[in-house]
Amino acid sequence: MSRQSHIMVSKIGIIGAGVSGLAALKQLSHHDPVVFEASDSIGGVWKSCSYRSTKLQSPRSDYEFTDFPWPSRDDPSFPSHTEILDYLQSYATHNDLLKYINFNTKVVQVRFVGDREPSEIIGNNTREYGSLLPGQPVWEVAVQTNQSDAIQWYAFEFLVVCIGKYGDIPMIPNFPQSKGPEIFKGKVMHTLDYCKLEKEAASHLLKGKKVAVIGFKKSAIDLALECAEANQGPEGQPCTMVIRTIHWTVPHYWIWGLPFFLFFSTRSSQFIHQKPNQNLLRTMLCLLLSPMRHAISKFMESYLLHKLPLQKYGLKPDHPFIEDYASCQMAILPENFFPEADKGKIVFKRASKWWFCEEGLEFEDKTTLEADVVILATGYDGKKKLTNILPEPFCSLLEYPSGVMPLYRGTIHPLVPNMAFLGYIQSNSNLHTSELRSIWLSRLIDNKFKLPNVEKMLEQVSKEIEVMKKTTRFYKRHCISTFSINHGDEICEEMGWNSWRKKNLLAEAFSPYGSQDYVEEE
């Protein structure tokens, strides 16, 4: 790749203008950052990976910026993706953020340019974070604008990566030789491509067709419902969901008449879950309260098995409810999903292994499924997005040493100097955690507190990952939902804030924690 002689230099660079990118931009705007956004608009996955039916999964009050509440709306349901995009646009306009964003500008390469070799920096585990070249650029970023061949280089003292784990690069299953999509006579596409279709094109793709949707997470469920709605009437064909792992879904955030937050989103409820850095007394108490954790999970499951026809359709998961909540895989079920299944418009096929044949799909039990269209709702390759732009040896260290990306305070990789990552560790409200981490990052860059050394940061992350491993088999999804309040406490304490954010002890114990509890302190 050719390098231009002129390099534009700035203190802060931000890659991505999705939810995390906007949160980082707002908190770092006093540094006049340069923001690169590959698309023509803000919003990230809300813009590029949403269907017409896509809605917010969190309660609206949990998905708002601390200084910018949602406008009043009469509809009590979850906001649609278009409403979320409007909210984000209003937030960016209100805070005059758009002037910092370079749209249609794709980052194609990132290069480390310190005065020492990367191997020296990585080997020095006692180095104070951020001590490298104070006040001087350490990262060079190459960008292409409007898909032109010209490359513009920028240099930054600090780089914030906000491209997230979703979108851009689809996760495609591996198939046996001569049993991949190439032998199928119909059409194969990933949900990433389906999201780009206009309404009429999407309806034409699905209507009157035998459609197979691979997966059973939120995108697959929404897509199956869209397929069913496009195939109403006697001429309509059923949509078949091919499912490897079944996950728990909830119809709403009320369980046997009780609000969902009582079980997971208050300080008292999180007291029964393990957390990092707990003392011996707290460890013993968690052990004694483990039957209560099990009972709460069973309580949730009893309601869902009563409310939804999971047994009827063979959709009862093989693992406890708590494991899906702890790995941020719990999805809100669309209201009309099972009514369409009752009409025969959505059918289900359990299969751990499958491959293509000329007429559709073949399964390990030797059965086949005829299909005209196969849509892969198989997720995205977030790791590849990072390795495509990060240089060696850093991209090889993304999951060292635990097999999960070790981000201190969900933001800093201890082995990657002068770089932050936002949007990679999930919680029960990703906007809220991204904003809190952005506040923390801004104060770090402004030298309002100091980080521990690399060894201590890695130790802290290892403790968090151990808690995840003990809570769910899906720990590699890297979710902090069962100890999110503790996560916020530790961030607050490191910034010098009071970690208890409520007005009184009763509220502290039993009211839910949300974005408005973390209004920035003067």
Side-chain angles (χ1 to χ4, degrees):
M1 181 180 295
S2 62
R3 174 178 172 180
Q4 290 189 359
S5 58
H6 177 64
I7 298 181
M8 301 181 67
V9 179
S10 184
K11 182 178 177 67
I12 305 291
I14 300 174
I15 306 176
V19 170
S20 296
L22 290 176
L25 173 56
K26 167 61 172 23
Q27 300 303 325
L28 294 167
S29 58
H30 57 289
H31 290 293
D32 293 322
V34 178
V35 183
F36 306 113
E37 170 53 49
S39 72
D40 60 359
S41 65
I42 63 173
V45 293
W46 287 114
K47 178 70 175 180
S48 62
C49 298
S50 296
Y51 312 146
R52 297 185 306 280
S53 60
T54 300
K55 291 186 176 183
L56 183 64
Q57 292 289 285
S58 307
R60 182 177 49 143
S61 58
D62 286 348
Y63 201 85
E64 66 180 12
F65 294 100
T66 55
D67 60 345
F68 197 75
W70 275 85
S72 58
R73 60 198 292 271
D74 296 329
D75 186 356
S77 66
F78 298 97
S80 67
H81 75 281
T82 55
E83 290 178 293
I84 295 168
L85 288 173
D86 288 343
Y87 172 71
L88 296 177
Q89 184 69 39
S90 298
Y91 177 77
T93 302
H94 175 76
N95 290 291
D96 197 22
L97 301 180
L98 297 175
K99 65 183 180 183
Y100 301 103
I101 305 174
N102 297 282
F103 292 104
N104 297 306
T105 304
K106 182 179 181 180
V107 173
V108 293
Q109 186 179 345
V110 174
R111 183 161 53 197
F112 180 80
V113 289
D115 64 345
R116 290 175 287 174
E117 290 298 315
S119 58
E120 295 180 59
I121 298 166
I122 293 165
N124 184 6
N125 281 353
T126 61
R127 179 182 61 84
E128 286 294 322
Y129 191 88
S131 64
L132 174 68
L133 293 175
Q136 298 183 42
V138 294
W139 291 102
E140 287 184 351
V141 177
V143 301
Q144 286 180 312
T145 302
N146 292 320
Q147 299 181 336
S148 68
D149 293 332
I151 299 294
Q152 173 65 59
W153 284 89
Y154 294 76
F156 300 103
E157 295 177 36
F158 202 99
L159 193 60
V160 188
V161 180
C162 303
I163 58 178
K165 298 193 292 187
Y166 305 107
D168 299 321
I169 300 179
M171 185 78 76
I172 305 297
N174 294 318
F175 301 102
Q177 188 173 6
S178 301
K179 293 184 178 182
E182 69 279 357
I183 68 169
F184 176 49
K185 292 181 179 179
K187 185 176 183 60
V188 181
M189 66 193 314
H190 192 272
T191 50
L192 181 63
D193 301 309
Y194 178 84
C195 290
K196 298 175 183 177
L197 298 177
E198 297 292 337
K199 181 177 180 180
E200 289 187 7
S203 179
H204 178 73
L205 174 73
L206 302 175
K207 189 173 183 179
K209 307 288 179 49
K210 298 176 182 177
V211 180
V213 174
I214 312 299
F216 194 69
K217 292 183 183 177
K218 182 58 180 172
S219 59
I221 290 170
D222 285 348
L223 179 54
L225 181 58
E226 287 198 10
C227 181
E229 291 173 344
N231 280 279
Q232 297 298 304
E235 301 299 322
Q237 297 288 335
C239 171
T240 302
M241 298 190 75
V242 179
I243 307 167
R244 182 180 62 181
T245 303
I246 296 173
H247 294 282
W248 291 97
T249 57
V250 297
H252 45 65
Y253 282 112
W254 289 84
I255 303 296
W256 292 120
L258 298 174
F260 191 86
F261 71 77
L262 284 178
F263 304 100
F264 295 108
S265 301
T266 66
R267 188 174 293 278
S268 58
S269 66
Q270 290 210 329
F271 202 72
I272 67 172
H273 300 285
Q274 288 186 318
K275 68 175 185 177
N277 301 312
Q278 61 188 18
N279 56 33
L280 180 60
L281 179 61
R282 175 66 189 267
T283 300
M284 295 299 295
L285 187 60
C286 274
L287 183 61
L288 290 173
L289 292 176
S290 59
M292 186 177 293
R293 291 197 300 272
H294 179 74
I296 288 175
S297 187
K298 287 296 183 182
F299 184 72
M300 299 284 186
E301 294 167 27
S302 69
Y303 176 79
L304 297 177
L305 292 171
H306 166 76
K307 184 72 175 178
L308 304 173
L310 303 181
Q311 301 277 22
K312 174 181 177 181
Y313 292 109
L315 296 178
K316 180 182 181 297
D318 300 324
H319 53 269
F321 176 88
I322 184 63
E323 292 199 40
D324 274 344
Y325 181 80
S327 56
C328 295
Q329 296 192 95
M330 183 192 73
I332 295 292
L333 194 70
E335 185 176 346
N336 295 327
F337 182 78
F338 279 116
E340 291 299 330
D342 291 339
K343 294 192 301 187
K345 295 300 182 183
I346 302 176
V347 296
F348 309 98
K349 170 68 178 180
R350 293 287 304 271
S352 57
K353 293 183 180 179
W354 61 275
W355 48 86
F356 285 94
C357 59
E358 288 188 4
E359 303 301 325
L361 304 178
E362 185 177 345
F363 304 99
E364 59 182 344
D365 61 2
K366 305 302 181 182
T367 60
T368 58
L369 173 68
E370 289 188 13
D372 302 306
V373 180
V374 176
I375 305 181
L376 304 173
T378 49
Y380 302 91
D381 196 337
K383 182 181 177 181
K384 189 173 182 179
K385 289 174 68 174
L386 284 175
T387 57
N388 280 350
I389 62 171
L390 280 185
E392 289 288 0
F394 302 115
C395 65
S396 296
L397 293 167
L398 286 178
E399 295 182 351
Y400 173 84
S402 60
V404 177
M405 193 171 178
L407 293 182
Y408 180 74
R409 303 303 183 221
T411 308
I412 297 293
H413 193 305
L415 302 179
V416 183
N418 291 47
M419 182 177 284
F421 302 83
L422 287 171
Y424 288 88
I425 298 182
Q426 296 177 278
S427 72
N428 48 359
S429 177
N430 291 326
L431 184 152
H432 157 55
T433 48
S434 288
E435 184 181 31
L436 181 58
R437 290 165 183 161
S438 296
I439 294 170
W440 176 89
L441 177 63
S442 176
R443 297 172 75 87
L444 170 65
I445 291 175
D446 291 342
N447 294 313
K448 293 186 177 180
F449 65 91
K450 297 291 185 181
L451 289 180
N453 60 37
V454 170
E455 187 176 47
K456 289 184 178 179
M457 286 193 285
L458 285 174
E459 181 183 359
Q460 167 66 22
V461 176
S462 296
K463 291 178 180 178
E464 294 177 3
I465 294 172
E466 281 304 309
V467 170
M468 297 177 199
K469 285 182 177 180
K470 293 175 181 178
T471 309
T472 175
R473 70 195 70 185
F474 309 112
Y475 70 92
K476 288 192 174 181
R477 291 186 59 83
H478 216 168
C479 172
I480 62 162
S481 60
T482 58
F483 58 93
S484 59
I485 295 176
N486 176 74
H487 180 77
D489 288 350
E490 293 183 339
I491 286 178
C492 288
E493 290 166 3
E494 199 157 45
M495 294 192 295
W497 290 11
N498 183 9
S499 59
W500 283 35
R501 312 296 296 172
K502 302 291 187 180
K503 295 180 179 179
N504 55 67
L505 289 177
L506 189 63
E508 190 68 56
F510 300 110
S511 64
Y513 256 79
S515 300
Q516 297 307 313
D517 293 305
Y518 294 94
V519 174
E520 190 165 358
E521 297 182 356
E522 297 296 333

